[in-house]
Amino acid sequence: MSVSRQTPSVSRQTPSVEVIPVQGIGEVRPGDDVAALLSAALPSAATDRGALRDGDIVVVTSKIVSKAEGRVRSAPDRRQAIEDETERVVARRGDTVISQTRHGFVMAAAGVDASNTEPGTVLLLPEDPDASARHIRAGLGARAGARVGVIVSDTFGRPWRHGLTDVAIGAAGVRPLDDFRGRSDAYGNELSATVTALADEIAAAAELVKGKLDGVPAAIVRGLAHLVTDEDGPGVAPLVRPADEDLFRYGSRDVVFARRTIREFADRPVDPQAVRRAVAAGIAAPAPHHTTPWRFVLVESAETRVKLLDAMREAWIADLRGDGFGEESIARRVRRGDVLRNAPYLVVPCLVMEGSHTYRDERRNAAEREMFVVATGAGVENFLVQLAVEGLGSAWVSSTMFCRPVVREVLDLPGSWDPMGCVAVGHAAAPPRDRAPRDAADFILTR
C-alpha cells in the first residue's frame, strides 16, 4: 500500500509512505520474544522491498505484546479485571464502562479485551507499553542492524464519531507529536492550537493492512525516517491529555458519582481559579423566591486558616469539657478535625436569608428557613461535584455550624451569614475507598 503525502517543510519532504503487512507470526504465547518473532517474519513480509531498513517504523498490535508478557486472564474474571485496571470511571452505561487506566488512557473497559484471544480468556494492556516498545526496538536493532522506531498500538473509540481506529499506546524511537503552534499557514495565519498526533496517525495507517480478522498483528511503515529518533524518546506520554486539562473529564451520567469524600491530600497547591469555577457551579443551584442564599468564603491565607482552625478547636474543646468528657477522650475527638488542618485549601459555605419571608407563626417561619437550608445544601453539593470535575478532592465537615460566632469573628463575616460547615479541598493523596453498595430501590416509596 502506498500513500502520497505532502509535507509542509521542504527539508522533511518525502515522496510517499508505504505500509507493509508483517505476516506469518502465528500464535504468540507467554514468554515469547516479540522482537524475535518479528525478525523471523520480516524477510517474507518485505519480499522484494528489502529487509528492515533504517528509518522504518514497526507498528505492533498490543495484543501480541500482552500475550507475550502473560497479560492474560480467564474470562469469568473480566469484570474484576476491568475494575483492577481502572484508575477512574469516566462514564458508564449498563455494562459498558469507559475508564481511565493507570497509564492515563481513557478507553472502553480499561483496555480489557476478549477478541483475538483464546475462548474463555481476556487480554489486559501491557503493564508498561512504552517499556515494551523499547524492548522490541532494542531486539530488532540488534537482529537487523537497523535504526527503527517501534509503536505499540491498540484500538480506541472516539467521542462523537462512530467506528474505531488504532492509536499509539507505546512508542520508542518515534517523535510522537508535531507542534505547529506559532507557525503560519499558506495564508499567513498564525496557528495557535494545531498539534498533530504523529504516532497515532502512523498507528492508524498500519491498521489498514493489519485488519481485525486477518491474523496480521504488525506492519512496517516506510517513508517517515525523519520521525525516527536516535534515542528512545518520551514514548506516548506527550499524547496523553492530563485529566485536569480534559474538558470532558466525566460522562454526564457519571459526574455526580465523581464526587467522593477525600480525607488525605497530596502536597500540591490548589488552583484558586478551579475553586472559583466550582463556586460558579454552586450558585447555579435552585433557591426559593428567586433569591441567592449562598456565600462561599475562600480561606486562601495560611495564617487565617490556622487562626480559624485554632479558634474552632478551642471552642470544641470547651464544649466537650462542658459535656463532661475527659482530656484523653477530648484529644481523640479533636483529632477528627485533622482533615481540615491537613488540607491545603478551605472553603466555608454560608447561608444568608436575604429575600426570605416572615410569617406570623413559627411553623411557617421554620419551614421558610428549611427552604433556604435545602437550597444552600444544593449549592454546596453542586460545588463539591464541580470540584471533582476540576480534578480536586474534597471533604465537607460540619464543624463551623457548631461555633458560628467564632467563625464569624475570625473571618470578619456579617452577623447575617450562617456558616454551613467547612470544605477541605486538595488533590487526593490516594484513591477513595469504594462506596458501600446501595440499591436505589431501598430508598424509594411508591404511592
Side-chain angles (χ1 to χ4, degrees), residues 31 37 42 118 182 197 201 293 314 343 360 377 384 404 423 431 443:
L37 295 175
L42 280 170
E118 293 183 1
E201 291 183 331
E314 293 306 312
R360 59 182 174 81
L384 298 177
R404 284 173 173 151
V423 180
F443 302 86

Side-chain angles (χ1 to χ4, degrees), residues 177-429:
L177 294 173
D178 203 353
D179 192 345
F180 289 86
R181 291 173 296 182
R183 306 188 208 177
S184 297
D185 63 17
Y187 296 94
N189 301 308
E190 183 174 328
L191 303 178
S192 60
T194 304
V195 181
T196 302
L198 296 171
D200 287 346
E201 291 183 331
I202 297 167
E207 179 60 16
L208 292 174
V209 301
K210 290 191 295 174
K212 295 299 178 190
L213 304 175
D214 299 330
V216 180
I220 302 168
V221 179
R222 180 166 291 162
L224 299 175
H226 60 284
L227 302 181
V228 176
T229 60
D230 292 331
E231 303 298 325
D232 286 333
V236 299
L239 290 162
V240 179
R241 188 190 303 277
D244 290 352
E245 299 176 9
D246 191 349
L247 294 178
F248 309 98
R249 182 181 175 91
Y250 292 98
S252 58
R253 291 170 179 255
D254 302 271
V255 66
V256 171
F257 299 99
R259 188 214 63 78
R260 302 294 300 276
T261 297
I262 301 296
R263 298 185 179 277
E264 298 178 21
F265 298 99
D267 186 20
R268 291 174 55 192
V270 170
D271 179 4
Q273 294 309 312
V275 177
R276 284 162 172 77
R277 289 192 292 270
V279 170
I283 62 176
H289 313 318
H290 305 287
T291 59
T292 55
W294 326 274
R295 302 293 185 272
F296 292 85
V297 183
L298 311 184
V299 186
E300 296 183 337
S301 163
E303 181 182 355
T304 301
R305 183 168 65 247
V306 172
K307 184 178 179 181
L308 172 65
L309 295 177
D310 285 350
M312 290 170 57
R313 181 178 59 191
E314 293 306 312
W316 191 3
I317 290 173
D319 284 342
L320 292 172
R321 284 174 178 160
D323 293 337
F325 287 96
E327 294 304 312
E328 183 178 344
S329 178
I330 289 174
R332 186 171 59 252
R333 288 170 178 267
V334 167
R335 280 197 294 272
R336 298 174 187 169
D338 285 351
V339 61
L340 298 179
R341 202 166 287 273
N342 295 335
Y345 198 107
L346 297 181
V347 178
V348 179
C350 294
L351 160 68
V352 297
M353 294 288 291
E354 295 173 5
S356 63
H357 296 174
T358 302
Y359 300 91
R360 59 182 174 81
D361 57 277
E362 285 306 310
R363 173 179 56 83
R364 286 184 289 174
N365 285 331
E368 185 77 5
R369 178 174 174 79
E370 287 168 357
M371 282 199 307
F372 277 73
V373 170
V374 169
T376 302
V380 171
E381 175 69 3
N382 277 15
F383 175 70
L384 298 177
V385 169
Q386 186 62 30
L387 286 175
V389 171
E390 296 285 346
L392 292 168
S394 64
W396 178 82
V397 180
S398 63
S399 52
T400 65
M401 301 172 69
F402 291 86
C403 54
R404 284 173 173 151
V406 170
V407 176
R408 291 192 193 101
E409 180 180 355
V410 173
L411 298 180
D412 192 23
L413 304 180
S416 60
W417 288 28
D418 278 347
M420 302 296 285
C422 186
V423 180
V425 182
H427 294 275

Side-chain angles (χ1 to χ4, degrees), residues 59-91:
V59 182
V60 185
T61 182
S62 66
K63 288 181 175 60
I64 67 168
V65 178
S66 294
K67 290 178 180 179
E69 295 178 357
R71 299 280 287 163
V72 184
R73 278 201 188 180
S74 61
D77 294 333
R78 185 172 188 269
R79 181 171 294 183
Q80 184 62 48
I82 294 172
E83 184 176 325
D84 292 345
E85 295 295 299
T86 294
E87 187 77 17
R88 175 174 64 92
V89 173
V90 175

